[in-house]
Amino acid sequence: MSRFIQIVEVGPRDGLQNEALALPVEDRVALVRQLEAAGARRIEAVSFVNPKRVPQMAGAEEVMAALPPDPARSRIGLVLNMRGWDRCVTAGCDEANVVVCASDGFAVRNQGSTVGEQVAALAAIVERQAVEGGPPISATISVAFGCPFDGEVSEDQVVAIAREAAALQVAEIVLADTIGVADPWTVRRRIEAVRNAAPDARLRMHFHDTRNTGLANAHASVEAGIDVLDAAVGGLGGCPFAPNATGNIGTEDLVYMLERAGFETGYDLSALIAVGRQISERLGKTPASSLARAGGFPA
């Protein structure tokens, strides 16, 4: 196989936001640079959230200021509302990832607003971008497979949000298994349903490995024709507002699985493993990714 699978590295944002140790700006900049040296071309570098609620993400503007523009790379900023959009534009992010939760229970706890209010915020941001300019916008539908507060999230809930995003002509829609409850069969059905609702949008998948189904879900996505997947180096990750949420798929684990099968990712596996081990040690934890422990094959 020579099909290219793009892996969006989310370690500097989703990977660090739930850690007990809040890394200083210089460490986060160094992590971004190391990941880019290992092959990351799209990287979720910062989050424009209230630093009082998520102190691990404080200093987003300083992080972006320390990363010189590079036409070969895209640094993504996470945005929850219009204030976040303004900060993202001012900071010079290459992309904005706007989050809409699939359930009201999570929406209120995570962002302090309902699903309907978040969809309206997305529409307002898209309108601002159309009039004033700004980075390309993707829309992430979080808790797209299950909510820690409301329980099951139906296909209809997710499709309704995807249809709204498609009507706004959002070019990329991300389905996020925020708490790691998806299974491969549901993943394939949900991809098909969202494709039908948003046929012109590129779909991207974001899986957490909380219940050891992350790589299986990534495999199901690739088999369903998905070409863009999120992952976090070292298997870092979690959500401050989702009880018991654990890490993302390890980027090195995903790269190994795909390249072993003959897909292309553009990553240097040995370099990724080294970065995963280093950042985990900096955080005082054992790497969650399997490749960080076992190494690649052949050695």
Side-chain angles (χ1 to χ4, degrees), residues 209-279:
D209 202 32
T210 311
R211 292 167 178 83
N212 203 32
T213 57
L215 283 177
N217 292 332
H219 171 267
S221 300
V222 172
E223 291 291 288
I226 295 296
D227 291 320
V228 191
L229 295 163
D230 288 356
V233 69
L236 297 174
C239 177
F241 309 105
N244 301 319
T246 58
N248 296 266
I249 300 170
T251 311
E252 53 270 55
D253 293 349
L254 183 58
V255 167
Y256 173 80
M257 181 180 78
L258 292 172
E259 294 197 343
R260 180 78 171 160
F263 295 95
E264 297 178 7
T265 68
Y267 279 84
D268 180 330
L269 183 58
S270 296
L272 269 180
I273 291 171
V275 176
R277 288 170 176 166
Q278 182 178 340
I279 188 61

Side-chain angles (χ1 to χ4, degrees), residues 59-129:
E61 287 84 356
E62 289 81 356
V63 171
M64 287 303 304
L67 295 169
D70 184 339
R73 295 180 172 87
S74 184
R75 284 77 176 245
I76 305 169
L78 187 82
V79 170
L80 302 184
N81 49 37
M82 191 63 74
R83 168 62 177 154
W85 168 255
D86 288 338
R87 291 177 63 195
C88 184
V89 172
T90 301
C93 289
D94 300 299
E95 299 179 54
N97 182 21
V98 182
V99 179
V100 177
C101 302
S103 71
D104 279 325
F106 194 72
V108 171
R109 289 168 176 83
N110 187 61
Q111 293 171 222
S113 55
T114 65
V115 174
E117 289 168 340
Q118 290 172 16
V119 170
L122 172 64
I125 289 169
V126 170
E127 182 178 355
R128 278 278 301 277
Q129 186 224 35

Side-chain angles (χ1 to χ4, degrees), residues 119-185:
V119 170
L122 172 64
I125 289 169
V126 170
E127 182 178 355
R128 278 278 301 277
Q129 186 224 35
V131 174
E132 301 175 7
I137 295 169
S138 59
T140 287
I141 305 175
S142 68
V143 293
F145 296 89
C147 171
F149 308 107
D150 293 354
E152 296 290 352
V153 170
S154 72
E155 184 177 288
D156 289 345
Q157 288 171 267
V158 176
V159 165
I161 297 168
R163 190 173 286 117
E164 294 275 6
L168 295 168
Q169 298 184 320
V170 173
E172 183 178 70
I173 297 171
V174 188
L175 302 186
D177 185 19
T178 309
I179 59 171
V181 294
D183 65 83
W185 298 272

